[in-house]
Amino acid sequence: MSSDGTEVDEERPRRGRLTVYLGAAPGVGKTYAMLDEAHRRSARGTDVVVGLIETHGRAATAAQVDGLEVIPRRSLTHRGVTLTELDTTAVLARAPQVVLVDELAHTNVPGSTHAKRWQDVHDLLAAGIDVVTTVNVQHLESLNADVEAITGVRQQETVPDHVVRDADQIQLVDLPPEALRRRLAHGNVYRSEQIDASMSAFFRVGNLTALRELALLWLADRVDDALASYRRDHRIDTPWPARERVVVAVTGGPESDTLLRRGARIAQRAAGSELLAVHVLASDGLPSAAPTVLDAQRRLVESLGGTFHTVVAEDVGGGVVDFARGVNATMIVVGVSRRSRWREALSESNGTEVARLAGSIDVHLVTHEHARGGESRHRSRSPLSPRRHAVGWVLAVAGPFALTVVLAALRDNLGLPTDLLLFLALTVLVALVGGRWPAVVSAVVGFVLLNWFFTEPRGRLTVEQPENALALVVFVLVAAGVASVVDLAARRTTEAFRARAEASALAAVSRSVLSGEDTAAALVARLRETFTLESAALLERSGDGWVALATDGADPSRDPAAAQTVLVVDDRRVIALTGRPLPAGDRRVLEAFASQVGILLEQEHLRAQAEQARVLEQADATRTALLAAVSHDLRTPLATIRASVDGLTASDLHLSGADRAALVGTLATSTARLERLIDNLLDLSRLQTGSVRPMLRATSLDEIVPLAVEGYAPGQVRMDVPESLPLVLTDPGLLERVVANLVSNAVRYSPHGSPVAVSAALLGDAITLRVIDRGPGIADGLKGQVFRPFQRLDDSSGPGLGLGLAVAEGLATAVGADIAVDDTPGGGLTMTVTVPLAEAGTP
């Protein structure tokens, strides 16, 4: 048993405690501070060992290791280099009370038990050994991108935030930027040859200041989490004002913007303060504000540097206060009630309730132009149909008289209590059929008839016995109450059904928008169908007029002024609806539809931008690759041509006939090579700009393939294209370039003495042309890359820009052919070109 009476598992080993020295930047002294703590613990009799320390050649740090037991490191060999790592097994066998492990984010040498050092530390903690370690703020995973944006250096070694955040103790080791730069200049951080470069790059004052702030903010969040955990564990409900937190109660009304801006100004008075906006939903789930309004207020909060929250509560005031207590708020900002004074006298306003319940939390009451102006309350329309109203009024007027006739005939057998119950049942029936007011009228008429005909003295509106008078009064009150409850239940049922239908419709729209299934035109059509309108049009402002982006229905309005209902999508777009007048209650769903249309348009815009960026990225990559390739592959034949021309034209050289012929041959070969490179570049440029215009006609392959393979030495290419094959529909010139590039590529990779085979055969409604080589082939994982420009999948493939296959694939697509890559049985690669047959009568 523990001291507080709880049971302790004696068999479960104690988990070690983790202490982290968090450095704001390299060189602040975290390793030195860790060693200093080790000496203090050792002096107190604690069994402390050094598992791994990185001194980085710093004499002061190395001197601190003296006097401490050091566990020898484990040696590992990787790529012929011997490296050392933490020997976790040796530490576990030694089983000290405390072990020092430097550089928590370090990546272990391949072949180690774990990939990361923090995983080794986890094993030590699980064994009950306390660990003291170090890490710099730039190695925290969540801050990696921020550090790269600040310093321009991306850290390759990171540690998950939760590893450090879950530590039992975190010590921040910090130095002012100028002090750290002095340490660096004195040679206390890096070697002398690294000082100048470091001070002008990573260790600039601005970088160090930003890193320092990152460390302080990250640690502040961790401390705040620890404070919240402590308050939760000790069941402390009262706020502790450790940090200024301003909660703004947002109702969705017109005053909310004023409250948010006032709350933001209050929060800006103290550094590190937070702004939180909270909107309370009633527990019945029925919406209390338009989604577009709340969405606009959410964006306003985010622009002010705050966060927006939605909670569900029985009442608004209690929900706001409960949320404020949960986030440890120091102030609540509420607005003066919009209710008129007489209504506020009857029921407590939300602001008054918040002030009453807030306790120790300050409440800031903000006046605004809508204060005390009276809420705009529209008379709620009855959910009952006009026919039911009419029937209800008939029952309310005629029913009591008919019941009086029946009861008068049975007067001798029934007493007043039975009469009251029957009149009450009639009132309930009227409420179910006609609603509240017919039921109230029925109750009043029933009261008069009961008094006149069935209460002594009869025939007079007086009551002889007080008990009967009380019964009549109770009857009227109960009848009116029951009528109100029945009417309210009917309204709530209708509202619930409506809310469910709205939620279902909006969920379907949101799902289609998020999945990318619907277009703006589809949403506009769905909007018109949902509300059974004549037409709907999505309009965009263009100069002084409007342009229709999407329309649906008969004769859609192209001018918002001529539409019955106009929904604002954004600053430039609206939805104009024509047809039946829509009730105010439909505005909520309409605005939600408009919001979804806005999201869809924004998604389309972002997709277009992403596609444009992708095209630009491809063009940039092509340009970069082209420049890199041209610098070598075009320069080589030019240099050869220049050398050959210089040799042929040199006046001081006396060339033999054989030498002159050799130079002429070299000149011709290099010129042909240069011509092929330029042709491929031009073809690629035409393909990328879409300027290839194929002229398709019926053609025989035996007219195309021989031209594509001419120029090769005897025995290099073996052709098998029967003359009996039917005609194909293609552009002869472009298909010839396709085959020529494929054959050229195959010849380049084929071993000496192994000819390239070119064959054609009829297969269904197309002819397959195969170019077969016996070269090294291509791995399956690389086959998808062979048609990309500037791809040289084998560095030993010889000269060339890597454009041949890319151009072949682009030209094949242009003429309606397909190229497939397959392995050649027995080794090598087979390129299969599928060309469609020409239909009968095709010229």
Side-chain angles (χ1 to χ4, degrees), residues 274-306:
E274 294 183 26
L275 174 67
L276 303 96
V278 58
H279 175 69
V280 179
L281 285 175
S283 57
D284 57 10
L286 298 178
S288 56
T292 51
V293 175
L294 293 178
D295 187 58
Q297 291 173 358
R298 182 191 300 274
R299 292 196 299 269
L300 175 59
V301 172
E302 293 172 352
S303 69
L304 295 172

Side-chain angles (χ1 to χ4, degrees), residues 198-217:
S198 299
M199 293 188 70
S200 61
F202 189 91
F203 285 83
R204 290 179 296 179
V205 174
N207 290 357
L208 297 178
T209 302
L211 290 176
R212 191 182 189 195
E213 184 176 4
L214 277 179
L216 291 171
L217 290 175

Side-chain angles (χ1 to χ4, degrees), residues 498-583:
R498 183 182 185 86
R500 185 172 66 179
E502 292 176 357
S504 177
L506 293 178
V509 172
S510 300
R511 186 165 53 249
S512 63
V513 170
L514 293 176
S515 62
E517 298 175 358
D518 273 356
T519 61
L523 282 184
V524 170
R526 183 178 296 185
L527 175 62
R528 186 192 67 82
E529 293 173 359
T530 301
F531 294 94
T532 61
L533 300 171
E534 292 181 3
S535 66
L538 174 61
L539 306 177
E540 182 177 41
R541 188 182 298 277
S542 177
D544 295 334
W546 296 87
V547 176
L549 301 180
T551 61
D552 188 72
D555 193 20
S557 173
R558 299 179 184 272
D559 184 2
Q564 278 80 15
T565 305
V566 177
L567 303 176
V568 177
V569 176
D570 52 36
D571 295 338
R572 297 184 299 110
R573 303 179 184 93
V574 298
I575 299 177
L577 306 175
T578 57
R580 65 181 180 89
L582 295 174

Side-chain angles (χ1 to χ4, degrees), residues 24 43 78 86 182 214 244 253 277 314 383 386 397 407 459 492 625 646 813:
H78 179 62
L86 171 68
R182 283 197 298 271
L214 277 179
E244 193 75 21
E314 292 289 340
V397 175
L407 293 179
R492 288 301 187 190
D646 289 345
T813 302

